[in-house]
Every structure is written in structure tokens, then in C-alpha cells.
Amino acid sequence: MVKHIILWKLKDECNNDTVKKGIKTNLEALKGKIDGLVEIKVQLEKLPSSNADVMLYSVFSDENALKELVDLLKDQIKEQISEEEIKEAIQELNLHT
């Protein structure tokens, strides 16, 4: 099992309830569409100790399933997060392989 957490700080123009709920709905809809994706949860409520706007918690059967999700994330939510955060997520994945 591979557990993975990603925190995103949204661009100001995308940081609203409509966008956040859309991200949550689209990400949680991936359950059953990625082989090896065991669990996926999106947290929109900020913790007082965090500056993240969206938190993704996911559990995978193996690293290949995680890579598939990361590849999808690059395409699906590229407009809501910065290119830097995408690069960091990919780098994190590469550190675990």
C-alpha cells in the first residue's frame, strides 16, 4: 500500500467555493476509474496551522496506480494550481520510485 498526501495553494482567482467543490467532486469521482486506487478523500476545510486550500489524501495498491493519478492530476487541475506545484508533485513521485 502507498499512502499519498498532496496539499495545494490555489491561485487567488481560483480560490473560491465553486472551484474547490469542483476539484473535490472531480477527484473523488476517480474512485473506481484507476486500477489500484483504494481510497481517495479531498479536504477543503483549512487547518489553522496550514496555508493549503485543498488537501488530497489517497491510498494505492502500488506505485503504478499512484503514477496514474499524478498523470491525471497534471491534466485535470493544471489551471487551478501553479506549474511549480505540479513539478513538486512529480518530483515527490520520482523520489518514491
Side-chain angles (χ1 to χ4, degrees), residues 20-96:
K20 289 183 197 178
K21 288 177 183 175
I23 292 170
K24 178 178 176 68
T25 299
N26 288 327
L27 288 173
E28 290 180 347
L30 295 173
K31 179 79 182 214
K33 295 181 180 176
I34 296 177
D35 289 335
L37 176 58
V38 176
E39 182 179 356
I40 187 164
K41 294 180 183 176
V42 177
Q43 178 76 29
L44 302 178
E45 295 78 31
K46 275 185 148 179
L47 295 174
S49 60
S50 175
N51 67 348
D53 299 307
V54 178
M55 188 272 296
L56 170 65
Y57 170 80
S58 47
V59 180
F60 303 89
S61 60
D62 57 43
E63 290 183 27
N64 288 331
L66 170 59
K67 184 179 182 324
E68 188 174 339
L69 176 70
V70 170
D71 290 344
L72 281 172
L73 291 177
K74 288 191 298 185
D75 296 333
Q76 288 190 351
I77 60 175
K78 188 186 280 188
E79 292 150 15
Q80 283 87 26
I81 62 174
S82 70
E83 195 68 31
E84 179 69 23
E85 288 169 310
I86 293 171
K87 289 176 185 176
E88 288 174 10
I90 293 169
Q91 181 180 9
E92 183 178 338
L93 174 64
N94 290 335
L95 291 174
H96 291 90

